[in-house]
Amino acid sequence: EVQLVESGGGLVQPGGSLRLSCAASGFTFSGDSMDWVRQAPGKGLEWVASITGTSSYIYYADSVKGRFTISRDNVRNSLYLQMNSLRAEDTAIYYCVREQGSGSYFVDWGQGTLVTVSS
Amino acid sequence: IQVTQSPSTLSASVGDRVTITCRASQRISSWLAWYQQKPGKAPKLLIYKGSTLESGVPSRFSGSGSGTDFTLTISSLQPDDFATYYCLQYNTYWTFGQGTKVEVK
């Protein structure tokens, strides 16, 4: 059974930093691209970032480019999102998501971790 | 690529046939998926590649379309189907539709 468990969310001041983690199990982690998707309170879904299985290709949404960094550790079966220069509009639930292969749809989702950017 | 989903809200009754549409701003072949999300939960995959039903999803759900216009149909709405539905294009990066909330009429 695929399991994706996010951690690291919390309250942070505008301009601050936060690092999210996602522990993956139940599948061959290095074989699939992984993504972060977020959802602001009461709003729709927004893709944030994607990383291929060997970290060869990384993609970001324009809204986070230059501020967020996605990375992975295939030994620890973990996905990360380093978030810097946080803004109020980054407040959202952040989901760790597994792609079906690479460059594909999102097949499995974690339960999400809430990031609140507020003074 | 922009994705326009409609309607934003849909009022229906148990047993109704429900249709939700997504239109992409450029051709995306069949690279479109549909998700169901209930309050406080993560989205759940229903359909991928335009019309392929994910394993375990009831057959009352179906998807159709290719190119720019896509449809999700629930043939006979069940109590468990009241939720918000999203489409996702994955032809070029990833873009979600705005969502459709299916509520009780």
Side-chain angles (χ1 to χ4, degrees), chain B residues 22-104:
Chain B
C22 277
R23 173 165 288 176
S25 60
Q26 57 186 266
R27 296 182 65 85
I28 58 170
S29 185
S30 295
W31 306 124
L32 188 113
W34 291 96
Y35 296 85
Q36 177 193 68
Q37 187 179 34
K38 295 183 178 179
K41 300 294 186 181
K44 172 189 171 185
L45 175 66
L46 299 176
I47 287 166
Y48 59 93
K49 207 175 177 184
S51 61
T52 303
L53 200 66
E54 172 71 346
S55 176
V57 174
S59 59
R60 63 180 179 272
F61 291 92
S62 64
S64 64
S66 65
T68 60
D69 294 322
F70 300 83
T71 299
L72 172 71
T73 300
I74 309 173
S75 60
S76 178
L77 195 68
Q78 298 301 300
D80 191 49
D81 301 338
F82 291 99
T84 301
Y85 294 84
Y86 294 92
C87 59
L88 167 73
Q89 74 79 22
Y90 52 99
N91 179 79
T92 305
Y93 300 112
W94 297 266
T95 313
F96 289 95
Q98 296 85 350
T100 296
K101 182 178 181 180
V102 178
E103 61 179 23
V104 177

Side-chain angles (χ1 to χ4, degrees), chain A residues 15-118:
Chain A
S17 298
L18 210 57
R19 188 194 196 208
L20 305 183
S21 299
C22 171
S25 61
F27 64 104
T28 304
F29 183 69
S30 61
D32 291 322
S33 291
M34 297 292 295
D35 296 65
W36 290 97
V37 173
R38 69 183 180 183
Q39 186 169 36
K43 302 297 184 182
L45 299 165
E46 180 189 17
W47 168 74
V48 172
S50 179
I51 185 168
T52 55
T54 57
S55 303
S56 298
Y57 296 95
I58 290 174
Y59 309 99
Y60 296 99
D62 288 343
S63 58
V64 306
K65 201 172 294 183
R67 300 187 299 123
F68 289 12
T69 301
I70 188 173
S71 62
R72 65 191 295 161
D73 183 334
N74 288 345
V75 173
R76 291 183 167 82
N77 284 359
S78 293
L79 177 72
Y80 306 101
L81 185 67
Q82 177 66 44
M83 304 185 294
N84 298 330
S85 303
L86 282 162
R87 307 166 179 166
E89 54 265 36
D90 296 318
T91 295
I93 295 172
Y94 285 73
Y95 292 102
C96 171
V97 177
R98 179 173 80 104
E99 286 184 40
Q100 181 62 49
S102 185
S104 187
Y105 57 92
F106 304 141
V107 62
D108 294 298
W109 299 65
Q111 85 288 349
T113 188
L114 177 62
V115 172
T116 303
V117 184
S118 175

